């Protein structure tokens, strides 16, 4: 197959935020014809692809996507949205806390009003929530979870690796509990037992228990505890192929394009 080609969009200036940042887009099949592909928007775009832009190594997620293509399986277009360096904590936190103004809502407004339409206009991607996911790790995993429940009309799935559920005294738990279950909702959640003496994994397990009680079954929620997992790009890179498999390959089998996902239960509200 052809070499990996990653399109660079930007640089963008975000109203109310300092500095500029780029958006990187990877297509699973260059020049492929046919149905639009699902799309995965990712926070911390510097970490999504190569090692160089990341201070601790990249996920090499384009290699995982290419592997799906070579196996003839459903694969997403990847959209990595760069963080703003010193602005990162403020733009990825849903709630104010020490060291953060909690402006994820503003950041999401920019993503959904400018980046999502730009990607849809330039690339052959799906436009329905069931075919549009958002993801990240650590604070990015927290941001992805919040984004899914705040904007389910755009993001029908979320990839949440080692989410920082503890942030702002765990306010995300009350937020999720207060929101109706989205009509299209597919969640991948993981954490490592070696992260912060196991507290990240315990928080993730608490979230999963709540979601199970809300009607999420095996088709709409995958929880992957990692006994050897650390809070690192290496661990997230290792678990990423399984996340893609669940969010896109299994989803394509269960819900073809245009067939809404939803949870396995009947209840759609809190």
């Amino acid at each position: 197959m052809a070499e990996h080609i990653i399109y660079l969009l930007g640089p963008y200036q975000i109203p109310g935020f300092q500095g500029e940042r780029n958006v990187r887009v990877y297509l699973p099949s260059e020049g492929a014809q046919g149905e639009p592909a699902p799309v995965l928007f990712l926070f911390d775009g510097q970490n999504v692809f190569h090692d160089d832009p990341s201070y601790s190594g990249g996920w090499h997620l384009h290699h995982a996507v290419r592997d799906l293509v070579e196996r003839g399986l459903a694969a997403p277009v990847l959209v990595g949205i760069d963080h703003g360096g010193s602005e990162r904590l403020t733009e990825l936190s849903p709630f104010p806390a020490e060291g953060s103004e909690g402006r994820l809502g503003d950041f999401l407004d920019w993503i959904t009003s400018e980046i999502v339409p730009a990607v849809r206009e330039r690339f052959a991607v799906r436009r329905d929530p069931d075919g549009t996911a958002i993801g990240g790790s650590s604070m990015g995993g927290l941001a992805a979870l919040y984004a899914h429940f705040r904007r389910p009309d755009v993001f029908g799935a979320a990839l949440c690796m080692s989410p920082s559920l503890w942030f702002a005294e765990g306010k995300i738990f009350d937020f999720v509990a207060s929101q109706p279950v989205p009509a299209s909702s597919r969640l991948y959640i993981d954490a490592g037992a070696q992260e912060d003496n196991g507290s990240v994994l315990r928080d993730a397990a608490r979230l999963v228990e709540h979601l199970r009680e809300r009607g999420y079954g095996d088709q709409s929620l995958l929880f992957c505890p990692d006994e050897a997992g650390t809070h690192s790009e290496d661990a997230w890179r290792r678990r990423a192929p399984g996340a893609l498999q669940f969010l896109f390959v299994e989803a394509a089998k269960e819900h073809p394009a245009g067939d809404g996902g939803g949870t396995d239960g009947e209840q759609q509200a809190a």
Side-chain angles (χ1 to χ4, degrees):
M1 298 182 72
E3 63 179 334
H4 297 285
I5 298 177
I6 297 175
Y7 295 87
L8 191 65
L9 308 183
Y12 291 96
Q13 289 186 322
I14 307 175
F17 290 86
Q18 297 179 359
E20 299 178 332
R21 76 275 314 283
N22 293 308
V23 174
R24 299 172 174 87
V25 181
Y26 176 75
L27 305 185
S29 291
E30 183 66 25
Q33 301 297 317
E35 295 294 326
V39 56
L40 172 59
F41 293 86
L42 291 143
F43 295 108
D44 294 326
Q46 293 95 327
N47 301 338
V48 172
F49 301 109
H50 301 104
D51 292 335
D52 290 345
S54 172
Y55 73 92
S56 56
W59 290 17
H60 303 170
L61 203 58
H62 52 307
H63 291 282
V65 165
R66 176 62 63 84
D67 181 63
L68 293 178
V69 172
E70 292 179 346
R71 291 159 56 196
L73 301 173
V77 168
L78 302 175
V79 181
I81 303 168
D82 283 3
H83 64 70
S86 61
E87 292 272 296
R88 179 178 181 270
L89 190 59
T90 283
E91 69 189 28
L92 294 186
S93 55
F95 318 104
E98 184 177 355
S100 170
E101 298 175 22
R103 297 187 57 198
L104 176 58
D106 295 332
F107 193 49
L108 281 177
D109 288 344
W110 173 73
I111 292 173
T112 55
S113 65
E114 184 161 354
I115 300 306
V116 172
V119 169
R120 288 175 173 175
E121 180 179 353
R122 180 165 178 179
F123 304 100
V125 299
R126 287 175 57 177
R127 297 167 177 250
D128 59 312
D130 200 42
T132 307
I134 191 163
S137 63
S138 192
M139 285 299 296
L142 172 69
L145 179 68
Y146 179 86
H148 171 58
F149 280 93
R150 173 164 174 153
R151 292 301 306 269
D153 57 313
V154 179
F155 307 112
L159 184 160
C160 308
M161 289 186 164
S162 302
S164 299
L165 304 173
W166 55 268
F167 189 81
E169 300 182 344
K171 288 183 180 179
I172 190 66
F173 289 100
D174 289 338
F175 173 76
V176 171
S178 71
Q179 302 303 304
V181 174
S184 175
S185 190
R186 193 174 184 90
L187 299 173
Y188 170 90
I189 299 170
D190 70 20
Q194 308 306 313
E195 300 181 62
D196 198 15
N197 295 318
S199 65
V200 177
L201 180 55
R202 289 191 294 272
D203 284 345
R206 175 187 168 190
L207 173 65
V208 168
E209 181 180 11
H210 168 76
L211 294 171
R212 295 293 190 200
E213 292 173 352
R214 298 279 296 277
Y216 283 80
D218 292 341
Q219 291 185 345
S220 55
L221 172 63
L222 178 62
F223 177 42
C224 290
D226 182 355
E227 290 301 318
T230 57
H231 201 77
S232 66
E233 307 298 335
D234 179 69
W236 301 322
R237 179 170 60 244
R238 176 167 47 81
R239 299 197 296 259
L244 296 182
Q245 176 82 21
F246 174 73
L247 288 176
F248 299 101
V249 178
E250 299 304 322
K253 295 176 183 177
E254 296 159 9
H255 304 291
D259 177 20
T263 61
D264 303 328
E266 294 296 327
Q267 187 175 2
Q268 293 294 305

